[in-house]
Amino acid sequence: MKKNGVDNLAFEPPSPEQRRAVPGPQQSPDPQEEEEAAEELCGWGRCAPPLLQLCNNAKGYLLFYSLLSVFQGIIVNGLINVSISTIEKRYELNSSLTGLISASYDIAFCVLCLFISFYGERGHKPRWLAFASFLIGLGSLVFSLPHFLSGVYKYGEKLDDTCPVTNSQFYNATCTPGSKSSLSNYLYVFILGQLILGAGGTPLYTLGTAFIDDSVPKHKASVYIGIGYSMSLLGPAVGYVLGGQLLNIYVDFNQQVRTDITPDDPRWVGAWWVAFVVCSFCTWLLVAPFSYFPRRLPGTQRIQAEKISEAHDDGKEHKDMGKDIKNFPWTLWSMLRNPVLMCLVIAAAVEALVATGFATFLPKFIENQFGFSSSYSATLGGVVLVPGAALGQIISGTLVSKLKLDCKNVIKFIAITCSIALALNSVFLFAKCGNEPFAGVSETYNGTGMLSNLTAPCNMNCRCLRSVYLPVCGTDEVQYFSPCYAGCSSVSIQKSGKVYSNCSCIVNPKTAFNNFTNGAITGKCTSKCTALPAFLFFFFLTVVFTFMAVTPTTVAILRCVPDMHRSFAMGVHMLFLRLIGTIPGPILFGVAIDNSCTLWSVDNCGKSGACWVYNNHLMAYTLMGISATCKVISIAFTVIAFVLYKPPPVKTSASQKDIETEMSVQL
């Protein structure tokens, strides 16, 4: 068997078992060799059953690494993203605060990643992942605690809100000065859960990835890393689908409470908490398998000996660093001085800003742009984001492996995929929807009243409650905040639901509901926009090409630094990924979405809560502008990295070629 033209049998050193089998003095066991062999057994201490050795290889490790990545993805990138809009309504939070919840995971990651990646490089990496499994399960359980601590959800007993509102219906309209809902205080519990999840995710994507690169040949590393990363995206897929389906179940189904609302009602809150509890216990099951893996897999030393460094500028001045804890500052400084590493890190971080922002708010974007329910929007978001991201990483990992690209060509590959993604970003220009007519928000009440004012002459005497949001669609195909604001004085129960009639604000009917020409039915008006298929198709392609840069970026980062610093380089990469990308990403997107709000919920004291209606055009253009700007910056830094990268001196390859030639002559 030959590799790179060299007979491996001529170079491969005999194993400890082969050396002990040679007759003569060499048969005496070498204590050091026996100790090294014991360190490569799967088990705990001297307990190493033969059955466990079946998983004691790179494929076995990849299996459990992928399972942990799946559950971490279900919780962090799936369930939390799906539940964001539901948590906003349930705990009276706005998008900026829920963006802070999403960013809390990355804050913990930033604080810990450098230290864990530096100290973990010298430690037992699989057991670090066992600890990570425990923390991820604990964080998921903590995140679900607000449901058990906040009591039963109360959406209000008054459902009809017809005109006029009687005095007895003002029971919930009283404002107590200085009163404040305690629900928003659960924000801190959500943040605590995310901080624990961030601490658990740190070893997974620093030490876990470096352990894969240590344990497989260089040309196979991109495939293994690509599979691991793509499996981590299976988690969000499951999270989006599972979480979306659970949102169709009432939040307090276990309390046996009576509900008079359906999932189509804007006040509906689904059972967002169930999957968090289940996933916490499932993740704890992975603690034991990771604890059994050895410090290094069998054959790792031979694989490391065969690898040729591709470190930028050969990494000469850094080779002796990082052997002692006291060298932590100098090792960090050497990483920061590596221009290729830093350009790749910044480029990846800026891309992550966009990816995290869309992962958090894409369901909300679809819900408001195309008029679907939270559950259906979450499912559509998962169908686009997760398969696209997984497909992109698998394709790129396979291409890099099959083409055997060196570090410089990998960087060129990254620049090409990012450029294509930038061109596809124009999907927001043509695949967007305007707002359906909304009385008092996007248009006046038949020429009366003013914009941004729900009160008009036709409903002035109704004394409607602004705190009760019950949208109805009139026969004039205009949406109203509630039956009261539409001036409806009668209600009847039909098979299709409640039908309101005698609506004084509806004067130009275009249709009829059960022979009521000036009536209205519950729910928002159906969107007439037909751009959803085009949006989903082009956004899917954008996601594919965006994530085609993820695995090659990881490979390039691991190659452009000295071998002993690969874990630490991943720590630096993840630090900047969070600081520049995933922390500000949800916050920036949340602020941008809030700025496009045209109708806020208001309590009886006039305090704003969640947003009910957005300006769809402004939202689409704002998100497109953020995405395009970030991609241009990412491409610029990738090109700079390509220009600055200096491959190792040719003498390394030349000496290898001389050895190959000499061996060919001998053979």
Side-chain angles (χ1 to χ4, degrees):
M1 177 180 178
K2 292 186 178 183
K3 182 179 180 180
N4 296 330
V6 184
D7 192 336
N8 286 340
L9 297 177
F11 285 93
E12 183 175 357
S15 64
E17 292 77 5
Q18 290 173 329
R19 285 196 288 268
R20 286 195 291 270
V22 178
Q26 294 185 4
Q27 280 187 326
S28 59
D30 188 336
Q32 183 177 358
E33 293 177 354
E34 289 186 344
E35 183 179 352
E36 291 177 354
E39 287 182 353
E40 295 182 348
L41 291 177
C42 189
W44 191 276
R46 294 186 177 182
C47 180
L51 185 62
L52 292 181
Q53 311 314 313
L54 296 176
C55 296
N56 194 18
N57 49 58
K59 293 180 180 178
Y61 171 81
L62 180 63
L63 171 64
F64 290 103
Y65 174 88
S66 298
L67 287 175
L68 181 57
S69 298
V70 166
F71 283 113
Q72 189 266 352
I74 290 176
I75 299 167
V76 176
N77 299 317
L79 296 176
I80 292 179
N81 292 340
V82 169
S83 305
I84 281 295
S85 60
T86 299
I87 289 173
E88 286 182 7
K89 288 186 285 188
R90 176 66 179 91
Y91 297 98
E92 300 177 3
L93 304 171
N94 57 40
S95 295
S96 299
L97 292 178
T98 52
L100 177 61
I101 293 174
S102 180
S104 299
Y105 171 89
D106 302 300
I107 292 173
F109 205 111
C110 283
V111 173
L112 298 173
C113 66
L114 288 183
F115 297 100
I116 289 180
S117 61
F118 184 82
Y119 299 128
E121 179 65 35
R122 296 153 184 76
H124 198 299
K125 293 188 180 83
R127 289 182 184 171
W128 273 98
L129 294 189
F131 183 57
S133 302
F134 171 77
L135 289 180
I136 291 173
L138 178 62
S140 179
L141 192 61
V142 170
F143 198 89
S144 67
L145 284 181
H147 168 75
F148 302 98
L149 301 177
S150 59
V152 177
Y153 170 54
K154 297 179 181 179
Y155 53 82
E157 298 177 4
K158 184 177 175 304
L159 299 177
D160 293 337
D161 191 23
T162 53
C163 176
V165 175
T166 61
N167 292 333
S168 62
Q169 292 173 322
F170 275 90
Y171 69 94
N172 62 349
T174 303
C175 171
T176 302
S179 64
K180 180 181 178 181
S181 173
S182 60
L183 288 176
S184 59
N185 292 330
Y186 288 104
L187 167 72
Y188 305 107
V189 181
F190 290 122
I191 291 176
L192 175 62
Q194 280 282 64
L195 291 176
I196 298 174
L197 287 169
T202 304
L204 177 63
Y205 292 110
T206 55
L207 303 177
T209 304
F211 191 78
I212 292 177
D213 191 63
D214 292 340
S215 307
V216 298
K218 182 179 295 186
H219 70 280
K220 292 184 179 180
S222 62
V223 175
Y224 276 75
I225 294 174
I227 292 174
Y229 279 8
S230 61
M231 288 299 292
S232 70
L233 293 169
L234 178 61
V238 176
Y240 269 90
V241 175
L242 177 62
Q245 293 303 313
L246 287 173
L247 291 181
N248 288 320
I249 302 174
Y250 189 65
V251 61
D252 292 315
F253 72 93
N254 58 326
Q255 301 289 333
Q256 297 181 348
V257 296
R258 186 170 80 77
T259 58
D260 297 315
I261 57 176
T262 65
D264 294 327
D265 193 296
R267 297 167 299 169
W268 174 272
V269 171
W272 61 271
W273 55 275
V274 175
F276 287 98
V277 176
V278 174
C279 288
S280 66
F281 291 102
C282 291
T283 307
W284 281 338
L285 296 177
L286 297 175
V287 173
F290 279 115
S291 301
Y292 296 151
F293 274 101
R295 182 184 296 266
R296 63 174 180 267
L297 297 178
T300 298
Q301 288 182 321
R302 176 178 58 82
I303 291 173
Q304 291 299 315
E306 293 177 352
K307 290 184 177 180
I308 300 174
S309 175
E310 290 186 76
H312 170 66
D313 211 12
D314 206 26
K316 291 181 179 178
E317 59 179 310
H318 314 309
K319 286 183 178 178
D320 295 330
M321 292 185 181
K323 296 182 179 180
D324 198 286
I325 293 177
K326 66 182 181 181
N327 288 324
F328 175 85
W330 298 105
T331 307
L332 175 60
W333 178 240
S334 71
M335 295 292 101
L336 297 178
R337 291 179 58 194
N338 187 326
V340 177
L341 171 66
M342 294 312 300
C343 285
L344 290 173
V345 162
I346 294 174
V350 175
E351 284 284 341
L353 185 150
V354 178
T356 310
F358 275 117
T360 305
F361 291 109
L362 182 62
K364 188 167 189 170
F365 178 84
I366 295 175
E367 177 183 351
N368 289 278
Q369 287 283 330
F370 305 104
F372 294 112
S373 66
S374 299
S375 175
Y376 189 65
S377 299
T379 303
L380 288 178
V383 168
V384 173
L385 280 174
V386 180
L391 183 62
Q393 296 200 59
I394 293 175
I395 291 175
S396 61
T398 304
L399 288 176
V400 171
S401 176
K402 293 295 183 181
L403 300 176
K404 296 184 178 180
L405 301 179
D406 57 19
C407 188
K408 196 172 186 69
N409 284 319
V410 168
I411 298 174
K412 183 190 296 184
F413 181 87
I414 297 170
I416 293 173
T417 57
C418 289
S419 300
I420 297 175
L422 173 62
L424 291 171
N425 188 67
S426 60
V427 61
F428 291 99
L429 291 176
F430 61 90
K432 64 182 186 305
C433 297
N435 292 86
E436 296 300 317
F438 197 127
V441 178
S442 61
E443 64 178 47
T444 61
Y445 288 81
N446 300 305
T448 63
M450 297 181 295
L451 290 177
S452 302
N453 188 355
L454 296 176
T455 303
C458 62
N459 59 27
M460 185 174 296
N461 296 324
C462 294
R463 295 182 294 180
C464 302
L465 301 178
R466 175 71 186 272
S467 58
V468 178
Y469 180 51
L470 185 62
V472 293
C473 183
T475 53
D476 55 356
E477 298 181 357
V478 175
Q479 183 175 319
Y480 295 86
F481 186 85
S482 68
C484 180
Y485 278 103
C488 303
S489 59
S490 302
V491 59
S492 61
I493 306 298
Q494 306 292 335
K495 292 183 179 180
S496 58
K498 293 181 179 179
V499 176
Y500 299 90
S501 58
N502 299 324
C503 303
S504 59
C505 293
I506 302 176
V507 295
N508 295 313
K510 299 179 181 178
T511 58
F513 300 140
N514 295 340
N515 298 322
F516 295 120
T517 56
N518 63 337
I521 58 174
T522 57
K524 300 177 182 179
C525 293
T526 305
S527 174
K528 300 180 179 64
C529 181
T530 59
L532 179 63
F535 172 79
L536 294 178
F537 175 74
F538 284 101
F539 195 82
F540 176 81
L541 293 180
T542 305
V543 173
V544 170
F545 282 97
T546 296
F547 278 83
M548 281 182 69
V550 174
T551 300
T553 299
T554 302
V555 171
I557 288 173
L558 292 171
R559 297 290 175 265
C560 72
V561 298
D563 291 346
M564 68 175 61
H565 296 154
R566 281 177 295 188
S567 292
F568 195 59
M570 288 301 298
V572 173
H573 169 47
M574 292 300 173
L575 172 65
F576 280 86
L577 198 73
R578 265 63 190 179
L579 284 178
I580 301 176
T582 55
I583 289 178
I587 298 175
L588 178 61
F589 271 65
V591 171
I593 291 174
D594 280 345
N595 287 336
S596 65
C597 181
T598 56
L599 180 64
W600 292 93
S601 65
V602 179
D603 62 15
N604 297 320
C605 295
K607 181 183 175 182
S608 298
C611 181
W612 293 124
V613 181
Y614 296 89
N615 183 327
N616 287 346
H617 284 299
L618 180 59
M619 180 191 292
Y621 286 130
T622 302
L623 298 188
M624 185 201 70
I626 295 174
S627 178
T629 301
C630 290
K631 289 186 179 297
V632 169
I633 295 173
S634 176
I635 294 170
F637 276 98
T638 304
V639 172
I640 294 173
F642 176 80
V643 173
L644 294 179
Y645 175 73
K646 295 180 181 179
V650 182
K651 62 181 181 180
T652 303
S653 301
S655 61
Q656 178 69 19
K657 187 174 181 180
D658 293 339
I659 295 174
E660 295 177 3
T661 304
E662 182 179 350
M663 290 306 302
S664 299
V665 173
Q666 292 178 1
L667 293 175

